[in-house]
Amino acid sequence: MDAKITLLAAGLLMFTGTAQATELNYDYIEVSYSEVDFDDFDEDLTGVTIGGSFLVSEEIFVYGAYSDGETDSFGGGRIAVSGYSLGLGYRFGVSPQTDVNFGAAFERAKVEGKGAFSGLGSDSENGYSLSVGVRHLVTRDFELGADVTYVDIDTDDTVLTLGGLWHVTDLVAVGLGYFVGSDASGFEGGVRFKF
């Protein structure tokens, strides 16, 4: 199994994220589901990410996530991917409805063969990511966002994510997003709990 494909999958699972919260809130916990489609690989990778963000000052926030996923079963085996990230971000308001944010994070990804692929063993790598994003409140209840993330875990890639977030209540939002890198693309959907 090509390590570049599997580590890229880990990167895509860990670093994608739907747009942020109403009034551009950076305090939340969210759960999302992702599906990654590879250009040169017949099987999709699906996974779940649990992540969050916490504002520590008016401009500085910390963020992190844990992701776990695996490919569809093929040939009696699967490839499992997991990992986590922990980062520090900076935000500033361009207008009351628009923020620009920057982030830098430590990343860890693990790839493991299961079933018929258990003989492949497992491989873990450390890396980092750098991101820049824009968030904009279109209305009080609907937000659009875009970010570009450079990921370097064994191999490197740049991932573009576009997303929307509908604020169902003051405490709950649901989001959809699309992400694309040089070798893969996919979508995600999730629920965010704001505090």
Side-chain angles (χ1 to χ4, degrees):
M1 189 59 54
D2 189 319
K4 180 178 180 183
I5 290 175
T6 52
L7 289 172
L8 171 62
L12 286 171
L13 278 174
M14 290 189 297
F15 311 123
T16 58
T18 54
Q20 307 293 318
T22 191
E23 298 179 3
L24 303 176
N25 183 323
Y26 287 79
D27 296 320
Y28 64 84
I29 296 171
E30 67 182 355
V31 178
S32 60
Y33 169 85
S34 299
E35 184 170 307
V36 181
D37 179 36
F38 299 98
D39 296 341
D40 299 323
F41 189 56
D42 291 337
E43 304 302 322
D44 292 338
L45 178 86
T46 56
V48 175
T49 299
I50 299 172
S53 173
F54 181 72
L55 199 61
V56 295
S57 74
E58 190 172 322
E59 295 91 14
I60 307 295
F61 61 98
V62 294
Y63 61 97
Y66 174 79
S67 298
D68 191 37
E70 60 183 39
T71 62
D72 300 330
S73 180
F74 61 102
R78 298 180 313 277
I79 302 296
V81 178
S82 62
Y84 64 88
S85 64
L86 182 61
L88 186 65
Y90 176 81
R91 60 157 296 275
F92 67 91
V94 176
S95 75
Q97 295 83 20
T98 307
D99 266 9
V100 174
N101 56 71
F102 302 91
F106 168 80
E107 310 291 347
R108 178 145 178 96
K110 180 180 179 181
V111 179
E112 181 178 10
K114 292 189 172 184
F117 297 136
S118 60
L120 296 174
S122 65
D123 185 25
S124 298
E125 296 287 343
N126 296 329
Y128 67 94
S129 66
L130 303 172
S131 63
V132 60
V134 177
R135 299 169 49 196
H136 178 71
L137 282 170
V138 179
T139 69
R140 183 188 179 281
D141 296 326
F142 185 68
E143 181 180 339
L144 292 176
D147 63 68
V148 176
T149 303
Y150 172 78
V151 181
D152 190 336
I153 306 177
D154 188 42
T155 62
D156 63 335
D157 197 8
T158 301
V159 179
L160 169 66
T161 303
L162 305 172
L165 199 63
W166 175 45
H167 305 286
V168 181
T169 70
D170 288 340
L171 299 176
V172 178
V174 293
L176 289 174
Y178 174 77
F179 50 91
V180 60
S182 62
D183 297 318
S185 61
F187 71 89
E188 61 184 348
V191 178
R192 177 169 292 179
F193 305 96
K194 303 173 278 181
F195 55 91

